[in-house]
Amino acid sequence: MESVIPVFLHMEVSEPKRRIIRNDAALYLVLLFGAIGCIALSRWLSARFGVMRLAFQILLYAVLFGIGYALYRLRLVSYRYTLTSAELTVAQIVGRKETKLCEVPLCSITSLGTWVDGSGVYDGRTFTGRRRDTLCIYYKKEAEPHVLCLSASESLRTLLQKQINPENDAKESAV
């Protein structure tokens, strides 16, 4: 029995736009200065208004933690899209750690398009930027419609289209 070896076609990394806080060191510095600011603000409020210092400090740390997590999640996460002749693989990259999020067999893809609410089970965040600017891949998984949104380049879009509709490509080359 022969097994078909998938052929590598394309790989790209989608990163967020470069901003002030783009690497881990800058994020740690912002959070460190935020923690120092929380301590100073709680001391000042305690001395000035008699506010209970520990309770206010815990609240400020919780807010700082939320801001740090949002910055981490939305600004430091990149995605790697790998297209082979058999499947599309999406991996999440944070620092030096890479985690595979999903694999979509090309034979299960029904269409490509833009985001439409209620069009299937949303597979989570696999793009940078806004969802309305993404390429949405609609596919079937266990007979249920799913949606995978990517921040794909134009070359990945055309390669995906060619892999999904090879008969259209054959017709164009015959003409």
Side-chain angles (χ1 to χ4, degrees):
M1 185 169 131
E2 282 187 39
S3 63
V4 178
I5 299 173
V7 177
F8 171 79
L9 298 173
H10 186 76
M11 181 187 308
E12 68 183 47
V13 176
S14 173
E15 296 178 331
K17 290 183 181 178
R18 299 230 178 238
R19 304 213 193 259
I20 295 170
I21 300 176
R22 178 60 188 109
N23 59 21
D24 292 339
L27 178 62
Y28 294 142
L29 282 175
V30 167
L31 293 177
L32 176 66
F33 287 126
I36 292 169
C38 288
I39 294 168
L41 183 62
S42 65
R43 286 183 65 126
W44 181 77
L45 287 172
S46 175
R48 175 85 180 185
F49 300 109
V51 175
M52 189 172 165
R53 188 169 144 191
L54 181 63
F56 197 73
Q57 205 166 15
I58 290 172
L59 176 68
L60 287 175
Y61 283 138
V63 169
L64 184 66
F65 178 77
I67 290 170
Y69 181 76
L71 285 173
Y72 170 82
R73 194 66 192 128
L74 299 176
R75 299 288 180 239
L76 297 177
V77 177
S78 302
Y79 299 97
R80 181 185 319 272
Y81 310 129
T82 307
L83 179 64
T84 64
S85 59
E87 68 184 9
L88 173 70
T89 306
V90 179
Q92 179 183 26
I93 304 169
V94 180
R96 295 184 184 135
K97 183 180 176 189
E98 186 171 332
T99 307
K100 185 166 40 171
L101 297 178
C102 65
E103 293 176 342
V104 178
L106 296 181
C107 60
S108 67
I109 296 176
T110 57
S111 67
L112 303 174
T114 58
W115 173 254
V116 178
D117 284 330
S119 57
V121 177
Y122 177 60
D123 283 343
R125 188 172 182 90
T126 54
F127 59 92
T128 57
R130 294 177 282 199
R131 187 171 20 203
R132 66 182 172 149
D133 300 333
T134 62
L135 168 69
C136 291
I137 299 172
Y138 299 95
Y139 67 100
K140 296 276 186 181
K141 183 178 180 182
E142 299 171 359
E144 189 174 335
H146 282 254
V147 181
L148 179 66
C149 296
L150 308 176
S151 298
S153 67
E154 195 58 39
S155 59
L156 180 59
R157 290 173 192 249
T158 56
L159 281 171
L160 263 171
Q161 192 66 42
K162 285 180 182 179
Q163 291 299 311
I164 294 170
N165 299 324
E167 64 277 351
N168 290 347
D169 191 38
K171 288 178 187 175
E172 288 175 8
S173 63
V175 173

